[in-house]
Amino acid sequence: MPLLHPMKLINIVANMTLEERLVDIAEAHATSGYTILEARGAGSAGLQTGALEGGSNILFMLVITESKLSEVMVDIEKLMKRGHHLACFVSDTQVLRREKFAD
Amino acid sequence: MDLSNLLIPAVLFFALGFLAQGVKSDLKFPPELAKALSIYLLLGIGLKGGIEFSHAHLGEAVEAVGAALVLGFALPILAYAILLAGRLDKLNASAIAAHYGSVSAGTFLTAIAYLNAQQITYETYPVIMLAIMESPAIIVGLLLARFSRGSKTKNDEDARENHMGELLKDAFTNGSVILLFGGMFIGYIVKPNSLATITPFFSTLFMGALSLFLLEMGMEAGKRIGEFKRVGWFLVAFGVLMPLVGGGVGLLMGHYWLGFGMGGTMLVAVLGASASYIAVPPAMRLAIPEANPSYYLTLSLGVTFPFNVIVGIPIYHYFAARLAGV
């Protein structure tokens, strides 16, 4: 089996208006990339049906090294402290081809 | 009031969507379709406004713009005062108030369809007022929120929510504002024979596209009935009463200040009565993140929009007719 490398996977569910700010955070910490999916659901901000911009979520996915995790979390928490409704989940993951991801 | 006037495609498609949701039909719209239709509708209204503006009498147009600004700035303050009297916290009150000072293009277009069906003529200035009214309420909402936060956030100076310049930029570069004003500019500047090439798309198909949009909005409104408990009965009652207050202000303004006939006065009432659900929610998401989006989306989309489409428009029509002495 090819070699797998341990990394951290951050999943953030937020309103689509926050996309630009999440991208700014990813770029500020020199991560190698991110993935954004459109998402629907319900939570503390009520029903998010995806039909109108104010009620449409995204799933923002970011894979980073463990050493960067705390600085990225500080920035995400700043957004939450300002009152933005977002949910953030961090999990251990493994990646193929370590060189695809920034240090 | 003749309720058979409500038997027009726009209202019936809305009711169909609402019903489909009520019977838990598996009917689903692709989420991107509503967004695409709202882009089309806003551009279409902007174009129509621009064409009207090019034949408008400048003095009257300026007066209509002035009236739109007064409505856009005054209604959110009125809404804010009512919400605070009902003991809602200041940040949620600011966010909800901004929705009620702004306008709903869907409601406005339903009112136009209603007037067209009865062959009632109307002044065209309300179309220009609609475009003007998108931004002032957002600005009032921002100012109210800033005032509500007071010194609490002073230690978080780098927060984007505290940068007034940036927030004002957001209010004026909002997607809906770009579409409405961009459409207006194009409609104003392009010669009639060139406009004829896009007329089939933006004019002939317009009411059909509106029907599709309203079908989906009916479903959206239906989905939000379940949220009523969460927002509480005071806010649901506000969602019914505030349009009557705003509609009343609009009726008086349309008749006494602007001197419009029955159709135009009814449209100004609809502008005063309607609450935004396209432009303002994303603006408030960014500017007043502390507010609960469930409150303002449920109110504007789940309560006020259906109320205006089914009950409000005939009421505003009735009073506009009384004022006009018809």
Side-chain angles (χ1 to χ4, degrees):
Chain A
M1 180 170 126
L3 191 57
L4 290 167
H5 305 270
M7 297 285 273
K8 293 287 178 185
L9 168 64
I10 306 175
N11 279 310
I12 298 168
V13 179
N15 183 260
M16 66 187 294
T17 50
L18 282 178
E19 179 175 319
E20 191 194 329
R21 293 190 200 186
L22 294 172
V23 170
D24 286 347
I25 291 173
E27 286 175 352
H29 297 285
T31 55
S32 47
Y34 51 83
T35 298
I36 297 170
L37 304 175
E38 310 243 324
R40 291 181 288 126
S44 65
L47 195 60
Q48 306 294 310
T49 59
L52 298 164
E53 212 184 317
S56 298
N57 276 348
I58 53 166
L59 172 62
F60 186 89
M61 301 168 77
L62 192 61
V63 174
I64 56 170
T65 57
E66 186 161 7
S67 61
K68 274 192 184 156
L69 184 63
S70 72
E71 47 182 292
V72 173
M73 284 301 111
V74 167
D75 281 357
I76 304 289
E77 203 184 13
K78 266 190 200 163
L79 279 180
M80 289 176 156
K81 281 184 179 157
R82 284 175 212 158
H84 290 291
H85 295 258
L86 46 97
C88 176
F89 321 93
V90 179
S91 50
D92 292 320
T93 190
Q94 293 180 309
V95 299
L96 265 179
R97 309 267 309 264
R98 174 68 184 76
E99 64 276 16
K100 278 175 68 70
F101 299 89
D103 286 320
Chain B
M1 255 181 280
D2 183 1
L3 290 181
S4 67
N5 293 337
L6 282 172
L7 299 179
I8 56 170
V11 174
L12 294 176
F13 274 103
F14 182 84
L16 177 63
F18 202 82
L19 183 76
Q21 198 56 43
V23 299
K24 296 197 178 352
S25 157
D26 63 355
L27 173 65
K28 286 213 167 39
F29 263 64
E32 291 309 308
L33 183 60
K35 293 189 190 110
L37 283 170
S38 68
I39 290 174
Y40 166 83
L41 294 172
L42 289 169
L43 256 187
I45 306 171
L47 276 171
K48 185 170 158 53
I51 297 166
E52 301 297 347
F53 205 58
S54 66
H55 321 133
H57 180 276
L58 192 65
E60 285 174 358
V62 168
E63 214 173 341
V65 168
L69 289 173
V70 170
L71 267 184
F73 282 108
L75 285 178
I77 296 172
L78 196 61
Y80 182 74
I82 296 173
L83 289 165
L84 285 196
R87 306 235 169 132
L88 187 68
D89 67 279
K90 289 177 175 172
L91 288 170
N92 273 309
S94 309
I96 295 173
H99 287 74
Y100 282 83
S102 188
V103 286
S104 149
T107 313
F108 183 80
L109 291 171
T110 307
I112 298 253
Y114 176 94
L115 290 175
N116 287 344
Q118 294 177 66
Q119 295 170 324
I120 297 171
T121 56
Y122 50 89
E123 287 80 1
T124 49
Y125 298 111
V127 182
I128 301 167
M129 296 173 73
L130 172 90
I132 300 289
M133 282 178 73
E134 288 279 355
S135 306
I138 298 179
I139 295 167
V140 177
L142 299 182
L143 293 172
L144 288 173
R146 199 179 172 88
F147 164 74
S148 310
R149 283 189 195 109
S151 54
K152 204 174 73 185
T153 49
K154 282 226 169 83
N155 50 10
D156 195 9
E157 287 295 339
D158 66 323
R160 236 171 110 176
E161 290 72 17
N162 288 338
H163 285 201
M164 212 54 192
E166 200 140 345
L167 291 177
L168 285 179
K169 184 189 145 266
D170 287 344
F172 286 105
T173 56
N174 184 302
S176 305
V177 174
I178 297 279
L179 290 169
L180 279 168
F181 279 98
M184 253 173 126
F185 178 73
I186 294 169
Y188 180 77
I189 206 149
V190 172
K191 291 195 178 77
N193 54 349
S194 307
L195 270 176
T197 56
I198 57 170
T199 302
F201 184 67
F202 278 109
S203 187
T204 317
L205 295 179
F206 194 81
M207 286 297 169
L210 176 69
S211 300
L212 258 187
F213 180 74
L214 288 172
L215 175 62
E216 170 146 31
M217 289 303 106
M219 289 168 62
E220 284 289 308
K223 284 178 193 162
R224 290 179 195 275
I225 299 273
E227 304 262 293
F228 280 17
K229 247 194 179 152
R230 185 187 180 125
V231 307
W233 294 106
F234 165 68
L235 285 182
V236 173
F238 173 85
V240 173
L241 290 176
M242 190 58 208
L244 294 173
V245 173
V249 174
L251 280 170
L252 297 175
M253 195 174 247
H255 182 74
Y256 291 108
W257 178 0
L258 297 168
F260 288 167
M262 178 173 69
T265 300
M266 185 191 114
L267 290 177
V268 181
V270 168
L271 290 176
S274 65
S276 165
Y277 49 82
I278 297 178
V280 181
M284 290 301 115
R285 281 281 193 151
L286 288 177
I288 316 181
E290 304 94 326
N292 190 341
S294 172
Y295 288 2
Y296 50 71
L297 281 173
T298 303
L299 281 190
S300 64
L301 197 53
V303 184
T304 301
F305 185 41
F307 173 78
N308 274 331
V309 167
I310 314 275
V311 185
I313 290 175
I315 292 179
Y316 312 136
H317 174 208
Y318 173 78
F319 284 105
R322 291 287 294 265
L323 280 171
V326 180

